[in-house]
């Protein structure tokens, strides 16, 4: 089994999370593009899901695991090679469910806005 996580394999770096807000970055390369030559939507969905999961985790206990139960990704414009800035934040936190939002920007322009609901599982 590899010690490299899925998001590390994608090239995600600069992950931070504190008090319900998380940030991460990705330098988009040709590997991340679809056949049309734009940033693959699945990569963007992975990035917002990851950022929001880290935002939730920054507000839970060590043994709690956030699990995505719903994810809506709105693609605003295509992305391409270059650096992405991803921010995820907790919007509403209930006893068992947490609602988050995330945004992806490239060169100061919004590419994606996402909303997700996370169930917090207790180990």
């Amino acid at each position: 089994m590899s010690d490299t996580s899925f998001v590390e394999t994608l090239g995600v770096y600069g992950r931070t999370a504190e008090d319900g807000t998380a940030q991460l970055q990705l330098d988009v390369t040709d590997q991340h593009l679809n056949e049309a030559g734009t940033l693959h939507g699945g990569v963007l969905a992975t990035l917002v899901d990851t950022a929001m999961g880290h935002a939730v985790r920054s507000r839970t206990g060590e043994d709690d695991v956030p699990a995505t139960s719903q994810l809506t990704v709105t693609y605003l414009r295509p992305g391409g090679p270059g650096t992405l800035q991803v921010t995820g934040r907790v919007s509403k936190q209930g006893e068992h469910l947490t609602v988050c939002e995330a945004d992806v920007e490239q060169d100061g322009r919004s590419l994606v806005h996402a909303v997700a609901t996370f169930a917090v599982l207790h180990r």
Side-chain angles (χ1 to χ4, degrees):
M1 181 176 255
S2 172
D3 288 338
T4 304
S5 73
F6 175 62
V7 294
E8 289 171 332
T9 300
L10 277 178
V12 171
Y13 66 95
R15 289 187 282 173
T16 63
E18 184 178 3
D19 194 29
T21 299
Q23 296 185 329
L24 55 88
Q25 294 178 290
L26 174 73
D27 292 331
V28 178
T29 67
D30 289 345
Q31 294 175 262
H32 301 109
L33 304 181
N34 59 29
E35 292 179 3
T38 61
L39 180 55
H40 194 286
V43 172
L44 289 161
T46 296
L47 294 174
V48 293
D49 185 49
T50 300
M52 290 185 284
H54 284 299
V56 173
R57 184 167 277 137
S58 75
R59 286 221 180 143
T60 61
E62 285 291 315
D63 291 334
D64 296 333
V65 178
T68 309
S69 61
Q70 177 272 330
L71 174 64
T72 301
V73 181
T74 303
Y75 300 94
L76 302 170
R77 65 178 40 87
T83 302
L84 300 179
Q85 307 288 335
V86 185
T87 303
R89 63 204 156 276
V90 172
S91 299
K92 303 286 182 195
Q93 189 167 10
E95 187 174 339
H96 301 287
L97 297 174
T98 301
V99 178
C100 297
E101 293 185 56
D103 293 288
V104 179
E105 292 187 352
Q106 187 175 45
D107 298 325
R109 297 177 56 159
S110 294
L111 301 184
V112 165
H113 180 75
V115 178
T117 303
F118 288 82
V120 179
L121 308 174
H122 307 285
R123 287 192 262 178

